[in-house]
């Protein structure tokens, strides 16, 4: 972030016609955004939502309530405009693009070895990196990939420790038996892939859409495009960057805390406080897309309000 | 609410292309809205924000960090488009109207007797009632009135009991001495006005803008226009209706929990769970206006998404 723009935004904020601090976290959001955009009085006009889709070898182990064919079916639904993310992106005035990554070639079952080869993870990171429109002024990345809360749990456990069961939740809605299988699969994956280097964790325990999200978040950092993080899977992708390089997520805020309980724990590890908490657990970037209009409102107040001097209002 | 529309909306919600419940509270909001609008697949297109302004006899007691002249100055700021609520209403696509109620004639100091005569409270209720555009499809009411967290605290304490100090907070930012004075003023007001009939509480301990908010919320109920409640003062106004007639706030959801700690307690008494919690404590309808786009997004998902059958997506 640009320290001069941050300081100028803080100064402006202190002069706006409201009691100091009365817009709460909206004030922090606007100042953070101003810093990343390098202007004291920014506008947010070109938000971009990108959904990455991938399939997972571990889906064959019965870790999801839905069959793996739903990934490609939902991609068609995204293209036809029928999914939640289509409505949410439109409501936020955001563009939506969808990238499917080798859907007919799932990653390898990570209980048997690495999910991806080096070439595969690099290709996926690259898809994400190049998917970011450099002229956008906000990025949301979402995902679709039946079974992908399992790699997300494995990544979180590999990066932050604890027991597999602490990071494993019901995802789209597995029953007790499914949850037990899922926890076992995470444990087997961690045992089969012992390297804890963050980018090796991404390769061995992640998935193509997860790597693509990481690539896009990294590209946004380079282009000073602020990011709103979505749910557990997006945050797990982001966490690999955070553990690989300090400050790698300084351009990110957490859009929401999902109903997947381990998401909150993961956000806490990353020092991120969620903007919203409405019990979403859908993925697709839905929670982050919902948060776009809150950030827009914060910026509209910051950049549009009159100062005490301009309005002739007495101070405290 | 219309039970047939509610049932039809619930049925539609169960068929949308997402895991059951995966949109969390957005699903509940959309179904609630559908019920009040009487259609299974509603649209939210004409939200209205109304700000009522009033002055308070108790302001002369030093209960606010700001001088009373700020009420009329902020009304001018609303009309010039420079306040937070102007930016938030525009960001939500809402109309904004401002009604000032006898600003040069503050209510009586309620530590000495009733704040308003019967004629005065009826006039204020009537301003609120008639301010609601019957063609709108959502209502937010906000307020401006230096000192008005003091009557709000008095109303909450009169309706729900407890000690004055439990309901009294720092408002726009009074210091410890101001908070002590404010708590004392609330206690004196409660002693001077012993009638606990809810509409008498409104008359004796409220204020013109508070009564106008109550009138507008009641008019919206009659017209089946859903309402998003704002912060502590708006919720105190609404609480007088809730205690006067069961179900009087069934058409209302809580837009946010403000930083004024007693707001959360008041919402809890009313059985309302806030949509947002971002530390706002500004009034003007700001928190509720911020929540409009969240409700719009909920309705956009509900009414715009494809069903499993339409999209050809396999179920769980």
């Amino acid at each position: 972030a640009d320290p001069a723009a941050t300081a100028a935004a803080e100064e402006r904020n202190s002069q706006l016609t409201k009691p100091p601090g009365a817009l709460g976290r909206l004030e922090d959001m606007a100042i953070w955004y101003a810093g990343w955009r390098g202007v004291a009085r920014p506008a947010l006009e070109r938000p971009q939502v990108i959904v990455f889709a991938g399939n997972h070898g571990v889906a064959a182990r019965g870790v999801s309530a839905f069959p793996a064919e739903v990934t490609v079916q939902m991609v068609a639904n995204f293209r036809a405009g029928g999914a939640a993310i289509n409505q949410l992106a439109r409501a936020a005035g955001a563009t939506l693009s969808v990238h499917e990554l080798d859907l007919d070639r799932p990653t390898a079952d990570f209980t048997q070895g690495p999910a991806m080869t080096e070439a595969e993870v690099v290709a996926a990171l690259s898809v994400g990196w190049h998917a970011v429109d450099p002229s956008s002024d906000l990025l949301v990345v979402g995902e679709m990939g039946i079974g992908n809360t399992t790699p997300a749990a494995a990544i979180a456990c590999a990066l932050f420790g604890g027991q597999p069961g602490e990071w494993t939740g019901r995802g789209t809605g597995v029953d007790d038996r499914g949850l037990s299988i899922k926890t076992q699969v995470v444990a087997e994956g961690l045992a089969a892939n012992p390297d804890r280097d963050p980018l090796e964790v991404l390769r061995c325990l992640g998935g193509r859409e997860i790597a693509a999200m990481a690539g896009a978040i990294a590209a946004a950092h380079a282009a000073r495009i602020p990011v709103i993080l979505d749910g557990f899977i997006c945050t797990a992708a982001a966490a690999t960057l955070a553990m690989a390089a300090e400050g790698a997520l300084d351009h990110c805020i957490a859009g929401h805390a999902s109903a997947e309980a381990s998401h909150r724990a993961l956000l806490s590890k990353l020092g991120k406080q969620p903007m919203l908490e409405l019990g979403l657990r859908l993925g697709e970037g839905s929670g982050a897309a919902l948060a776009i209009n809150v950030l827009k409102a914060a910026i509209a107040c910051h950049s549009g309000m009159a100062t005490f001097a301009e309005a002739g209002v007495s101070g405290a």
Side-chain angles (χ1 to χ4, degrees), chain A residues 185-260:
Chain A
V185 166
V186 171
E188 290 176 21
L190 289 164
N193 298 279
D195 195 331
R196 295 296 174 258
D197 170 80
L199 296 182
E200 273 295 280
V201 166
L202 178 64
R203 179 177 79 85
C204 297
L205 297 168
R208 289 188 185 88
E209 82 282 33
I210 296 175
M213 283 193 284
I217 293 167
H221 191 281
R224 292 202 172 183
I225 299 170
V227 173
I228 304 182
L229 298 176
D230 188 41
F232 184 53
I233 300 146
C234 174
T235 308
T240 64
L241 301 175
M243 299 304 279
E246 200 178 319
L249 301 184
D250 285 354
H251 66 313
C252 301
I253 51 175
H256 76 133
S258 87
E260 189 84 353

Side-chain angles (χ1 to χ4, degrees), chain A residues 5-92:
Chain A
T6 302
E10 282 169 348
E11 174 60 21
R12 173 171 171 75
N13 179 59
S14 72
Q15 299 177 5
L16 300 176
T17 44
K18 57 177 182 52
L23 282 173
R25 290 182 58 202
L26 296 189
E27 299 183 17
D28 305 326
M29 290 174 202
I31 293 164
W32 162 82
Y33 186 84
W36 277 94
R37 298 304 292 167
V39 285
R41 202 170 170 174
L44 196 180
E45 293 171 333
R46 296 174 56 87
Q48 180 184 23
V49 177
I50 313 175
V51 179
F52 299 103
N55 273 321
H56 296 268
V58 293
R61 299 285 302 269
V63 295
S64 177
F66 285 80
E69 71 207 35
V70 167
T71 303
V72 69
Q73 291 169 349
M74 282 300 295
V75 167
N77 197 22
F78 298 146
R79 295 210 191 282
I85 190 61
N86 299 95
Q87 323 313 317
L88 293 168
R90 188 183 310 118

Side-chain angles (χ1 to χ4, degrees), chain A residues 77-147:
Chain A
N77 197 22
F78 298 146
R79 295 210 191 282
I85 190 61
N86 299 95
Q87 323 313 317
L88 293 168
R90 188 183 310 118
T95 62
L96 173 64
S97 52
V98 182
H99 293 260
E100 56 228 81
L101 293 100
D102 285 335
L103 293 190
D104 50 4
R105 206 163 56 87
T107 55
D109 177 346
F110 65 43
T111 66
Q112 309 301 311
M116 291 176 278
T117 64
E118 286 197 12
E120 286 170 337
V121 73
V122 166
L125 282 160
S126 178
V127 167
W129 183 282
H130 293 291
V132 177
D133 176 355
S135 75
S136 64
D137 52 19
L138 182 74
L139 176 67
V140 162
V141 287
E143 43 55 47
M144 179 70 219
I146 293 299

Side-chain angles (χ1 to χ4, degrees), chain A residues 258-299:
Chain A
S258 87
E260 189 84 353
S262 39
H263 186 218
R264 180 176 306 282
L266 191 52
L267 288 174
S268 170
K269 292 286 186 188
L270 296 173
K272 302 287 186 194
Q273 194 184 354
M275 295 166 67
L276 305 175
E277 194 174 335
L278 291 164
L280 275 67
R281 51 179 173 79
L282 180 60
E284 303 178 3
S286 53
L290 183 64
I292 292 174
N293 273 332
V294 175
L295 179 60
K296 274 190 173 179
I299 294 162

